[in-house]
């Protein structure tokens, strides 16, 4: 039983991070029909920028309390990633907006390589230890289940950010402009919506989420590296598709479901398959679920409309 | 340079192989990008130091001529497919010997290409037994293989750490899996029980799911076959999940990097093994460390001394044979015997290093301490 609950928590923690990253994929896809493969690497830039800031702060103000240090690091990482998201859209994707779909997709992959290589030049090839400013020492176990403060923060912060984003999209003026642009950006622009600004805004918000996810990811595992964005990016993309790409609620649900499936998959696949499969097949387990969902519901768990630009 | 290209062209059409050739190419293949690029660059640095050392003396004395060397470093990205591509590229570039690759998973497929191209290959890092079991005449390694290392690890877990229950994890690479399999055999042979056998990948950072599963089996020792990039975060997660166990890993996790990455989770219950001797106990270790620091402004990670010896073995065999042609110097390489940085370098009939030593380490006072 304690193993079961522990796996549930493991799944929730990783699932929250996936969900946060998946939001960035899904927002951009919803509006542009573009899968921004460089999104995972924005996460990496966020984590490494935060790391650099923390190291700087530890040098100049070693007595600073961890909470301030983390806040300042986020305050630096988020704008850096926002600028990066803005520049990516402005310099690379905007020119290709009316190009065949394959062109921006390949550009996105190229952008991903570019970011990784630049990060490798700046921060080197080595893994960096990420200061764990929120404690990773487990709290007093409850019924044999362990959870660390940083994991609690991840779950709560992700939930708060997701609620905030939902409100932004459904309640605010810019949110309405986003939805209008997603529906049909030509018509939206005829109605007086500045679609270029809306698209840029979407990239900027997505990048900010990625920065936060990057800092969370690095804080939880205690490492940062120029290639760290690749795997979570890929998993979050899967989560976005699972939930129904283009749909915000779907991305959140997809992230959590994927996290849980992975966690339970690794934990129980051996029993479920009577010892035939083992934990080396944990990713297969996630993709079987994805396959099944897409067979029976091609638009994903919560996907309603099929994008006419797909 | 132009001269050597002309010489190469003459050789490649089969005319006078012993023509004047002042620069001979050696290849180095290791991952220079990706998750273990820090170890790959370290390996390449080792080869480069050897080549620089020889060139600094005015070159090696081969067949009455002073011969200088040029190192061509290729990036195999730790990927088997890229590994074979760069192997072919090195063969096509006309290298006379190759130092590499790092990963067993890339060394093994690449070795076939080197064999077909007639280029000897010495791996300073690949420890999977299969590499030399293929019986290619030109394949060697300067590091102890996993049969030797896994045996030592299994015995250490059961006899020294008195483990009754051992959980084993590997990263599904040729190296990690090979080492874990050998360790499992040795653990069972020594009379202990393997209570869990779990798997991850060489790109993973989250091990909570498999560790939670392992926690339920209450192991005395958790063994991980894989690299430091995974072993560090894994050890943190062991602590976060409140698993009270000793942690043991192979040479891939026996680096200074591992200590950094594991943060406050590493303690004296952490052990690792290393093929060969510690840098301090290597005959040429202290000087090597100082030279390396002077040249690259950093610490030796792992494989640099073994790469250095591999490059030296090739050059020494060339000197003895009086020829840089693989067909001529290969017999000399098989019987080579010299004092390298890592100790005595001599190969057995299969191409494995003779008397490959394995040293166990324990984490103590912020560093790995040889036991």
């Amino acid at each position: 039983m304690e193993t079961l609950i522990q796996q549930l928590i493991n799944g929730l923690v990783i699932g929250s991070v996936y969900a946060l990253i998946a939001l960035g994929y899904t927002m951009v896809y919803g509006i542009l029909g573009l899968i921004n493969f460089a999104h995972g690497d924005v996460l990496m830039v966020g984590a490494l920028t935060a790391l650099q800031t923390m190291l700087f702060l530890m040098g100049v103000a070693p007595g600073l309390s961890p909470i301030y240090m983390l806040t300042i690091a986020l305050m630096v990482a988020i704008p850096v990633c926002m600028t990066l998201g803005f520049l990516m859209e402005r310099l690379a994707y905007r020119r290709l907006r009316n190009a065949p779909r394959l062109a921006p997709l390949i550009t996105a992959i190229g952008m991903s390589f570019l970011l990784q290589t630049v990060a490798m030049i700046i921060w080197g090839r080595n893994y960096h230890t990420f200061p764990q400013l929120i404690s990773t020492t487990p709290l007093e176990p409850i019924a044999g289940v362990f959870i660390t403060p940083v994991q609690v923060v991840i779950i709560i912060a992700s939930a708060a950010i997701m609620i905030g984003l939902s409100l932004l999209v459904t309640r605010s003026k810019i949110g309405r402009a986003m939805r209008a642009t997603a529906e049909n950006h030509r018509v939206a622009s005829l109605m007086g919506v500045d679609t270029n600004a809306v698209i840029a805004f979407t990239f900027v918000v997505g990048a900010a989420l990625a920065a936060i996810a990057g800092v969370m990811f690095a804080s939880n595992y205690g490492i940062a590296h120029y290639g760290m964005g690749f795997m979570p990016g890929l998993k979050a993309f899967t989560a976005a598709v699972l939930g129904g790409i283009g749909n915000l609620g779907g991305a959140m649900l997809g992230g959590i479901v994927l996290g849980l499936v992975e966690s339970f998959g690794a934990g129980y696949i051996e029993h479920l398959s009577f010892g035939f499969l083992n934990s080396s097949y944990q990713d297969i387990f996630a993709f079987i679920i994805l396959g099944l969902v897409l067979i029976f519901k091609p638009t994903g768990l919560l996907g309603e409309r099929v994008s006419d630009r797909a | 340079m132009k001269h050597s290209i002309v010489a190469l062209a003459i050789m490649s059409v089969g005319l006078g192989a012993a023509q004047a050739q002042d620069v001979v190419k050696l290849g180095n293949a290791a991952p220079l990008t990706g998750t273990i690029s820090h170890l790959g660059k370290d390996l390449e640095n080792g080869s480069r130091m050897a080549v620089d050392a020889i060139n600094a003396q005015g070159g090696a004395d081969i067949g009455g001529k002073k011969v200088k060397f040029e190192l061509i470093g290729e990036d195999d990205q730790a990927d088997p497919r890229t590994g074979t591509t760069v192997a072919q590229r090195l063969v096509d570039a006309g290298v006379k010997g190759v130092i590499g690759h790092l990963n067993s998973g890339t060394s093994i497929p690449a070795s076939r290409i080197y064999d077909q191209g007639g280029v000897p290959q010495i791996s300073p890092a690949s420890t999977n037994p299969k590499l030399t079991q293929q019986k290619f005449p030109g394949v060697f390694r300067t590091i102890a293989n996993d049969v030797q290392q896994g045996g030592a690890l299994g015995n250490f877990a059961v006899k020294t750490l008195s483990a009754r229950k051992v959980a084993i994890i590997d990263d599904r690479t040729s190296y990690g899996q090979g080492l874990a399999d050998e360790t499992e055999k040795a653990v069972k042979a020594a009379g202990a029980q393997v209570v869990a056998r779990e798997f991850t990948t060489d790109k993973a950072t989250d091990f909570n799911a498999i560790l939670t599963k392992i926690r339920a089996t209450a192991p005395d020792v958790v063994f991980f076959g894989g690299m430091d990039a995974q072993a560090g975060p894994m050890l943190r997660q062991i602590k976060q999940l409140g698993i009270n166990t000793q942690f043991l890993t192979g040479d891939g996790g026996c680096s200074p990097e591992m200590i950094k990455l594991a943060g406050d989770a590493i303690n004296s219950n952490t052990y690792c093994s290393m093929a060969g001797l510690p840098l301090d106990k290597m005959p040429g270790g202290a000087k090597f460390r100082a030279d390396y620091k002077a040249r690259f402004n950093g610490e030796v990670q792992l494989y640099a001394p073994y790469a250095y010896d591999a490059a030296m073995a090739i050059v020494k065999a060339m000197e003895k044979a009086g020829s840089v042609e693989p067909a001529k110097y290969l017999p000399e390489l098989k019987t080579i015997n010299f004092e390298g940085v890592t100790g005595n370098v001599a190969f057995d009939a299969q191409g494995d290093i003779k008397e490959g030593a394995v040293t166990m380490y324990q984490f103590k006072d912020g560093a790995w301490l040889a036991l």
Side-chain angles (χ1 to χ4, degrees):
Chain A
M1 190 60 195
E2 64 195 45
T3 303
L4 186 84
I5 297 172
Q6 187 76 58
Q7 294 291 22
L8 187 75
I9 290 173
N10 294 340
L12 273 182
V13 172
I14 189 76
S16 305
V17 178
Y18 288 162
L20 215 48
I21 312 169
L23 284 173
Y25 275 105
T26 221
M27 281 198 310
V28 167
Y29 185 88
I31 285 195
L32 278 183
L34 162 73
I35 294 162
N36 181 14
F37 275 113
H39 189 64
D41 300 297
V42 176
L43 172 151
M44 171 273 295
V45 172
L48 286 169
T49 310
L51 172 72
Q52 199 67 52
T53 315
M54 288 173 184
L55 293 180
F56 173 75
L57 287 174
M58 283 172 182
V60 296
L64 204 62
S65 98
I67 296 298
Y68 287 129
M69 209 175 265
L70 191 65
T71 315
I72 297 172
L74 272 171
M75 289 308 191
V76 175
I78 294 174
V80 166
C81 286
M82 284 171 132
T83 313
L84 186 65
F86 178 79
L87 289 177
M88 264 187 339
E89 195 275 330
R90 186 68 193 84
L91 300 178
Y93 302 141
R94 186 174 295 183
R95 291 153 195 276
L96 297 170
R97 202 169 294 159
N98 297 315
R101 274 177 60 87
L102 213 50
L105 190 72
I106 292 168
T107 308
I109 295 171
M111 192 56 89
S112 163
F113 287 158
L114 179 73
L115 288 180
Q116 285 191 29
T117 311
V118 170
M120 186 174 87
I121 293 167
I122 298 175
W123 285 287
R125 294 183 172 91
N126 285 1
Y127 277 77
H128 299 280
T129 313
F130 196 87
Q132 300 193 304
L133 297 176
I134 306 175
S135 168
T136 52
T137 310
L139 300 169
E140 195 57 34
I142 305 158
V145 176
F146 287 77
I147 187 160
T148 63
V150 66
Q151 292 171 329
V152 176
V153 171
I154 287 177
I155 295 176
I156 294 174
S158 305
I161 291 167
M162 286 186 241
I163 293 168
L165 188 72
S166 304
L167 290 178
L168 178 82
V169 172
T170 53
R171 297 271 197 279
S172 71
K173 194 172 169 208
I174 182 85
R176 189 163 43 182
M178 282 167 83
R179 281 178 287 141
T181 310
E183 198 80 30
N184 188 327
H185 76 267
R186 278 176 206 284
V187 175
S189 72
L190 288 174
M191 297 293 143
V193 175
D194 183 353
T195 49
N196 277 338
V198 169
I199 291 168
F201 179 77
T202 308
F203 269 90
V204 167
V205 171
L209 294 182
I212 298 171
V215 172
M216 282 182 179
F217 196 82
S219 300
N220 191 24
Y221 298 116
I223 54 167
H225 180 244
Y226 75 88
M228 66 181 279
F230 180 73
M231 270 323 259
L234 205 64
K235 292 279 172 64
F237 171 62
T238 311
V241 174
L242 180 66
I245 192 151
N247 181 308
L248 291 184
M252 301 178 204
L253 182 69
I256 303 285
V257 169
L258 188 71
L260 290 175
V261 164
E262 270 188 12
S263 179
F264 285 115
Y268 294 100
I269 196 167
E270 208 171 334
H271 298 296
L272 289 176
S273 64
F274 302 103
F276 179 65
L277 297 174
N278 53 41
S279 55
S280 63
Y281 296 96
Q282 64 169 308
D283 287 340
I284 288 185
F285 208 69
F287 286 110
I288 288 174
I289 303 280
L290 178 69
L292 287 176
V293 168
L294 292 185
I295 286 168
F296 293 106
K297 206 158 179 318
T299 51
L301 290 174
L302 294 186
E304 281 155 22
R305 68 189 186 90
V306 180
S307 171
D308 51 0
R309 275 175 279 118
Chain B
M1 189 59 211
K2 199 166 186 182
H3 201 58
S4 73
I5 293 170
V6 173
L8 221 67
I10 295 171
M11 283 174 340
S12 59
V13 290
L15 296 169
Q19 291 285 338
Q21 36 180 296
D22 36 14
V23 178
V24 168
K25 289 178 188 164
L26 292 180
N28 188 92
L32 304 178
T33 53
T35 51
I36 56 164
S37 45
H38 58 294
L39 299 179
K41 193 68 196 170
D42 183 56
L43 190 157
E44 190 184 283
N45 287 346
S47 305
R48 202 166 290 284
M49 272 175 72
V51 167
D52 287 355
I54 292 158
N55 290 346
Q57 297 167 2
D61 200 11
I62 297 171
K65 283 203 171 58
K66 281 285 181 190
V67 176
K68 287 201 173 191
F69 291 88
E70 182 199 347
L71 189 75
I72 303 179
E74 289 283 358
D75 177 14
D76 68 18
Q77 299 173 13
D79 173 55
R81 243 176 329 174
T82 316
T84 54
T85 312
V86 302
Q88 191 61 54
R89 206 180 298 154
L90 286 173
V91 170
D92 294 345
V95 298
K96 299 295 172 204
V98 171
I99 301 111
H101 299 213
L102 192 159
N103 307 77
S104 299
T106 46
S107 272
I108 294 170
S111 61
R112 178 171 298 275
I113 306 222
Y114 297 127
D115 181 60
Q116 284 162 358
V119 179
Q121 171 199 10
I122 306 185
S123 172
S126 300
T127 50
N128 192 304
K130 281 195 198 112
L131 176 63
T132 47
Q133 280 166 3
Q134 302 174 102
K135 306 231 186 294
F136 292 137
V139 176
F140 303 87
R141 68 176 126 217
T142 51
I143 196 154
N145 68 27
D146 290 340
V147 178
Q148 295 159 317
Q149 201 185 159
L153 278 163
N155 274 327
F156 180 79
V158 179
K159 298 199 174 125
T160 313
L161 302 180
S162 2
R164 305 310 312 152
K165 294 193 279 183
V166 181
I168 295 179
I169 308 171
D170 77 60
D171 67 359
R172 297 273 90 176
T173 61
S174 298
Y175 160 72
Q177 194 178 346
L179 186 62
D181 287 347
E182 293 301 330
T183 306
E184 183 174 1
K185 274 187 217 157
V187 164
K188 284 181 177 157
Q193 195 192 353
V194 174
V195 288
R197 185 79 161 89
E198 296 297 329
F199 309 93
T200 180
T201 73
D202 57 345
K203 290 174 187 65
T205 40
D206 186 295
F207 313 101
N208 281 310
I210 55 172
L211 290 174
T212 300
K213 197 174 162 197
I214 284 174
R215 188 176 71 183
T217 65
D220 304 314
V221 169
V222 173
F223 171 79
F224 174 60
M227 307 305 284
D228 52 11
Q230 277 69 44
M234 185 179 287
L235 195 53
R236 283 176 189 255
Q237 287 162 42
I238 285 177
K239 187 186 166 212
Q240 287 171 20
L241 285 168
I243 306 174
N244 193 6
T245 179
Q246 306 179 89
F247 187 78
L248 179 64
T249 185
D251 54 348
C254 216
S255 64
E257 203 73 5
M258 166 73 188
I259 297 171
K260 260 173 61 195
L261 294 176
D264 60 356
I266 194 164
N267 57 28
S268 60
N269 279 336
T270 314
Y271 303 87
C272 64
S273 71
M274 185 101 86
L277 293 167
L279 194 55
D280 298 323
K281 290 189 182 163
M282 285 175 188
K287 184 177 178 310
F288 189 83
R289 181 192 300 249
D291 290 350
Y292 189 95
K293 189 138 196 169
R295 174 79 167 79
F296 302 108
N297 191 28
E299 287 297 320
V300 174
Q301 289 284 348
L302 264 183
Y303 300 120
Y306 300 95
Y308 185 93
D309 279 358
M312 282 300 181
I314 293 176
V315 175
K316 286 202 191 302
M318 286 175 173
E319 284 181 334
K320 277 177 83 178
S323 166
V324 298
E325 287 314 308
K328 297 249 175 62
Y329 83 75
L330 192 57
E332 295 296 337
L333 191 54
K334 284 182 189 300
T335 59
I336 200 97
N337 195 333
F338 70 100
E339 274 304 310
V341 173
T342 60
N344 190 273
V345 179
F347 302 107
D348 67 13
Q350 205 166 234
D352 285 315
I353 185 105
K354 268 186 194 161
E355 288 161 30
V358 178
T359 311
M360 298 302 306
Y361 291 78
Q362 181 178 22
F363 177 80
K364 228 175 200 162
D365 304 325
W368 293 116
L369 187 82
L371 295 177

